[in-house]
Amino acid sequence: MIEIKNISKWFGDFQVLTEINETIERGQTVVICGPSGSGKSTLLRCINGLEPFQKGEILVDGVSLSDPKTNLYKLRENIGMVFQRFELYPHMTAIQNITLAPMKVRKWSKQQAKEKAMILLERVGIPDKADSYPANLSGGQQQRVAIARSLAMEPKYMMFDEPTSALDPEMIQEVLDVMIDLAKEGMTMLVVTHEMGFAREVADEIIFMDFGKIVERGSYEEFFKNPKSERAKEFLKQIL
Amino acid sequence: MFDAVFRNITFLLGGFGVTLELTACALVGGIALGALVGLGRISPKKWIYLPVTLYVNFIRNIPLILVIFWFYFVMPIIAGSSLNPFVSAVISFIIFEATYFGEIFRAGYQSISKDLVSAAFSTGLTSPQTARYILIPVAFRRMLPSLITQSIVTFQDTSLAFVIGLQEFVRRTSIVDNLEVRSIQLFGFVAIIFFIFCFIGSKVSHRFEEKGRRTGIL
């Protein structure tokens, strides 16, 4: 379980997050949407300790991020993250991208890491691309390798930061399909996206953020059919 | 047609040996110091950034020959005794080339996106592991063509050390020329040797650049 308790964050004088509260139970999929600059990505980066925050507390399985005794490296092993621009290691093949962390962090043997990587590449539908470099893969394929890279650490949680917004339209679905399967298999997921088809299919809760605050939250039906705030109505008009 | 060259070949090649030694020392020192200068140039700490930037801007805006001269003539005043020309030349070159290598390193470090580092961290890799397996290999591949090009420039620059009497390749050639009076063939020979080495170097640099482009690293 991830508990976000009243966190606030500033970049200098500018407040990017204001008193955010949210609890993500195991097995849930939570979709975060909102206009750009509303603090969605920053919130994700706070959850795995990539960004510090000044007020409040985040607990991951009861462990506080702001506790100086918490080993952030250890904590991140359990929280996978997928980025908008894939961020594959450009000097490594797909399979090397996937096996690096299991071998260096989990100390798996090369053999064991490779077997796991092949299973994952199979699962994201591109086992034939194992030895390709990122430059020779399409955007959709790169993002699927990035998902496999995160899954290789067998994380309890997966965070996605606009995973399809850098993709050509025809490649979006292949990435969403992988994510939908993952959600249906019971992975706990936190997804920043504007893909409403995805939200409809798997989201247990939708959070709408604006100017660093959670403005609205609810199920897909509640949010899309009957948004309460003016900002959410305006936003939905733009993306639908 | 190269009769004067052949008559003095051992003496001339000895000079070329000095040139190679000087180049090697200048490169090892210049690249090592340059890696630190590059770090200094991206440092958020003002007391590191400012002096390093001042040093880089100052040295890059004066001719190398002045650095060599100054160091050779000023050092004895400060240190109290005169330096041997080779040591003096090596130090001048390190001071000078480190500013150029420093800018190459700065660009290399800055070419790594914040999110690539975040991606590595998010799989549980530690900072030293991220530096070792991701940052350094990627930055190095991106810098390699420029590093090779700057090394070729350094190799050519070493001939300027003749102004402080160092018996490197060009200096020895001019000594031979004073006796033989065969300037065209003697300096032609020097030019050919320099050309061969530099040409191969630039081809190698080009190769790495094409490879970098092909694999999407550049």
Side-chain angles (χ1 to χ4, degrees), chain A residues 2 44-45 47-48 50 60 73-83 101 106 146-161 182 187-191, chain B residues 118-124:
Chain A
I2 297 175
L44 290 195
R45 297 174 65 89
I47 292 172
N48 64 356
L50 289 172
V60 178
Y73 294 132
K74 204 96 204 121
L75 183 118
R76 291 189 193 118
E77 292 174 21
N78 289 321
I79 309 176
M81 185 159 180
V82 174
F83 296 80
R106 297 249 195 259
I147 294 173
R149 175 176 67 181
S150 286
L151 292 176
M153 288 298 287
E154 302 180 331
K156 292 183 191 158
Y157 306 96
M158 282 288 284
M159 303 199 295
F160 296 80
D161 189 2
L182 210 52
M187 174 62 79
T188 311
M189 306 199 339
L190 205 50
V191 185
Chain B
S118 299
F121 280 168
S122 73
T123 61

Side-chain angles (χ1 to χ4, degrees), chain A residues 8-19:
Chain A
S8 292
K9 175 178 173 62
W10 289 263
F11 283 129
D13 288 336
F14 179 69
Q15 186 159 14
V16 269
L17 295 175
T18 307
E19 292 161 13

Side-chain angles (χ1 to χ4, degrees), chain B residues 10-11 19 23 36 45 55 60 70 74 162 168 210 218:
Chain B
T10 357
F11 184 68
T19 293
T23 306
L36 295 177
K45 299 192 179 79
Y55 154 65
R60 280 174 67 111
W70 259 79
V74 171
F162 89 96
E168 43 68 66
E210 295 218 309
L218 282 177

Side-chain angles (χ1 to χ4, degrees), chain A residues 45 48 50-51 73-74 76-77 79-83 86-92 100-101 104-105 107 133 135-136 149-150 153, chain B residues 113-130 132-135 137-138 141-142 213-217:
Chain A
R45 297 174 65 89
N48 64 356
L50 289 172
E51 291 273 0
Y73 294 132
K74 204 96 204 121
R76 291 189 193 118
E77 292 174 21
I79 309 176
M81 185 159 180
V82 174
F83 296 80
F86 332 128
E87 307 302 340
L88 292 178
Y89 314 136
H91 60 308
M92 294 184 182
L100 181 72
K104 301 302 170 193
V105 180
K107 310 286 177 205
Y133 282 92
N136 301 324
R149 175 176 67 181
S150 286
M153 288 298 287
Chain B
S113 80
K114 184 179 157 201
D115 276 350
L116 188 67
V117 177
S118 299
F121 280 168
S122 73
T123 61
L125 290 174
T126 61
S127 299
Q129 286 172 329
T130 303
R132 179 167 165 203
Y133 300 112
I134 316 296
L135 296 190
V138 174
R141 279 169 171 78
R142 286 182 181 154
R213 240 173 264 286
R214 211 173 44 244
T215 53
I217 283 175

Side-chain angles (χ1 to χ4, degrees), chain B residues 1-117:
Chain B
M1 84 181 270
F2 279 110
D3 54 316
V5 169
F6 289 117
R7 273 196 298 279
N8 301 284
I9 193 74
T10 357
F11 184 68
L12 290 176
L13 288 183
F16 188 60
V18 174
T19 293
L20 288 182
E21 261 176 74
L22 180 56
T23 306
C25 294
L27 288 181
V28 170
I31 290 174
L33 184 59
L36 295 177
V37 167
L39 280 180
R41 292 274 286 146
I42 53 169
S43 173
K45 299 192 179 79
K46 275 221 157 61
W47 61 272
I48 296 178
Y49 172 82
L50 285 175
V52 171
T53 304
L54 192 69
Y55 154 65
V56 169
N57 285 332
F58 180 66
I59 298 291
R60 280 174 67 111
N61 287 299
I62 51 176
L64 171 57
I65 199 159
L66 282 183
V67 178
I68 297 170
F69 256 136
W70 259 79
F71 200 76
Y72 188 62
F73 293 117
V74 171
M75 265 322 273
I77 300 171
I78 300 168
S81 64
S82 70
L83 281 172
N84 120 15
F86 184 80
V87 175
S88 179
V90 166
I91 297 174
S92 318
F93 277 108
I94 290 175
I95 290 173
F96 188 81
E97 301 299 341
T99 63
Y100 286 84
F101 283 115
E103 290 301 273
I104 294 171
F105 277 97
R106 180 186 56 76
Y109 299 147
Q110 285 178 334
S111 76
I112 306 285
S113 80
K114 184 179 157 201
D115 276 350
L116 188 67
V117 177

